[in-house]
Amino acid sequence: MATLDTSIDRAIGGKAAKALHQAFEMETVGDLLCHYPRRLADKGKLTDFSDLPLGEHVTVLAKTVVVKSSPFWPKHGGRRGTRTEVRATDGTDGRRELVMTFFQQPWKQGQLQAGTIAWFSGKVTLYRGHRQLSNPTCEVVGRGSDLDEFEGEETQRWVPIYPATAKLTSRAITDCVEQVLEVLDDPPDLLPEEVRAELGLVSYATALRRIHAPADPPEWETARARLRFDEAFVLQAVLAQRRRMMMSLPAVRRPSREDGLRSRFDAQLPFTLTGGQLGVGADIADDLARQHPMHRLLQGEVGSGKTVVAVRAMLQVIDGGGQAALLAPTEVLAAQHHRSIVSMLGPMAEGGLLGGDQDATRVVLLTGSTPAARRRQALLDAASGQAGIVIGTHALLEERVQFAELGMVVVDEQHRFGVEQRAALTGKGGFTPPHVLVMTATPIPRTVAMTVFGDLDVSTLHELPAGRTAIQSNVVPVAERPDWLGRAWQRVREEVDKGHQAYVVCPRIGGEPESAMAEPVLDDEGFSPRRPPLAVADVAAELVDGPLAGLRVFMLHGRLRGEEKDDLMRRFTAGDIDVLVATTVIEVGVDVPNASLMVVLDAERFGVSQLHQLRGRVGRGTTPGLCLLVTEAPAGSASRSRVEGVAATTDGFELSRLDLQNRREGDVLGASQAGRRSSLRLLSVLRDEGVIAGARDVAERVVTADPTLAGNPSLAAAVDRLVALEQARYLERS
Ligand code: ADP
Ligand code: MG
């Protein structure tokens, strides 16, 4: 007999185990049984070709219409061979055909003669406008005019179709699964009996058997519903435990003071805070005064003024005797925060300097490229407590960065940091953990918040400061309107003539070997630009010699040294640069209110939220912002609609939905490497809001009743596995 932990090697023998391992890195029976069928095929029905995903390995049931063999001569010489071309139909109207070519298998001519019904597996590609299966394998089911003729022959009508590879077909996986299910002991159930009854879910053992070998589709759905719930439930149990743990931690209270830096800062602000900034600010002020650490996520539209909210919170902490660390995802952004916070604070940031305010503090910057002398001073200021605010990139996570009394950690643009990275920084608070504020400009739907940030309280800034005009975005479709590009450069000139500044964004720096370039994305319509993405270096050179001759054009990208980037941003902020040709280094947070125009080249190569972030760099002051999205993607292609979708709305929440729909679930949760095993196989954080909310309630109840899960070993084990998986990912990334 076998359990989920038994190795597949033992359960089904070495050869099959090796194939499973090579294809999907499977080790145990549990790994195999968690490889769920992608769909259930009806043996009584041919597969509809119209929704076969391009580029994926599929298994279809089809009927051959034409089978032709012809001689061919191999390219590099050698003996004459046979090529057998098979055209198959999905039985609809004869117009939807699938073409398959078999080389050196002359027997296929007889095996697949017209009218044969067979399972075909292979990768879907497009060839001269026809769907084609490349490197197909086949398994004959029968022959005839009507599929019903075969129905009696085999008992199983519903066939599970698995994600498969060229070497390991869906059928081969089915065989392995069948063998394993025969010897499997019923695994224990991690859902308490009464919860199962209450929610009307089948047992785990039943679900595991039914998802692989259901009698019919409704049975398959009951299995999927149960297993989908489990995915949400284990995740929510982890989060419930984490919340509980944090609630039990002590923190130093930092209540707001009437006579501190924070009040002085408020009094000298050059603008009035928005209602949202005040409301969220009050929540944070209360959090900081409690004896448990704050864990709050602040989400807000691009330009909604999150930084001021964070600065006020940091000053409250300093007033309470603590220090604050501000973690930014890029050097450009860290340097900008440093510059703008220093200038916002004025004399309040000149602690220990002549002319500094009494009880003023210091704001220091610490990134990978901070020169040695300044770095030493910054480290010293952090360790001695002189620096009230320490701003930096990942460099802040390094061990030698010490604080005298770290009272608060602010993480800007959260989506670049994982839970563990947050933990590495909060660990620097010593025995009493600091308060944590996480800021993100990528608004996330509620379910995603419950899943990805389920351990945080969420605040949202909905409004933009008064006087902002919405950014206008236009698509420049150079495929149909090549002349519009010239017009775009003309617009850049006009803006500069008016005293404004502009960004030109390209997907690539330039000068890198071709192998280092990302593969072009092939979208649904098979649109794939044949040229490499445009590069900053090439575009800048062309602009300087051509349409933007005479303007002060500079390049900004990730390969420049830290000081160079810093210097460029400083000069751009000061207005000494007219046009910055840049990569996405300017994507997050860069704040130059005088910049009014952005031209994004190869716009279809950027993601939805990336484009939204990018255009958020213009229209930040009172000048209206304009964003021109230049694309060669033809009208009607998926790429083009994505770009048009971004142009059509500036509502970040709507866009983040659009974005998430375009991505795989795994990416949403941060596990983006293709082929990685995700802990979510059935659960969709977008569609399954009800499941997630239900699982969250149950998890909260279960964890409250039994915080260590001592009474439910299988749940405890599942929780451990998920935590270990998350940690493993963190290690891989760092
Ligand atoms: P984000 O939320 O995108 O990080 P920032 O905090 O960078 O936005 O703020 C964008 C700009 O708006 C900054 O120049 C900031 O000084 C300004 N700002 C913030 N709050 C207000 C306000 N209440 N009124 C006017 N301008 C504001
Ligand atoms: Mg910001």
Side-chain angles (χ1 to χ4, degrees), residues 66-74 79-87 99-110 127:
V66 182
V67 183
K68 265 192 323 217
S69 284
S70 51
F72 87 102
W73 284 267
R79 285 185 27 217
R80 192 180 101 157
T82 311
R83 173 208 282 128
T84 309
E85 191 186 274
V86 176
R87 293 176 172 265
V99 180
M100 285 159 281
T101 310
F102 297 88
F103 291 97
Q104 301 297 47
Q105 302 170 56
W107 61 89
K108 283 277 184 294
Q109 169 88 37
Y127 180 69

Side-chain angles (χ1 to χ4, degrees), residues 306-307 337 412-413 589 620:
K306 295 180 288 291
T307 316
H337 273 315
D412 194 13
E413 312 297 352
R620 296 177 73 81

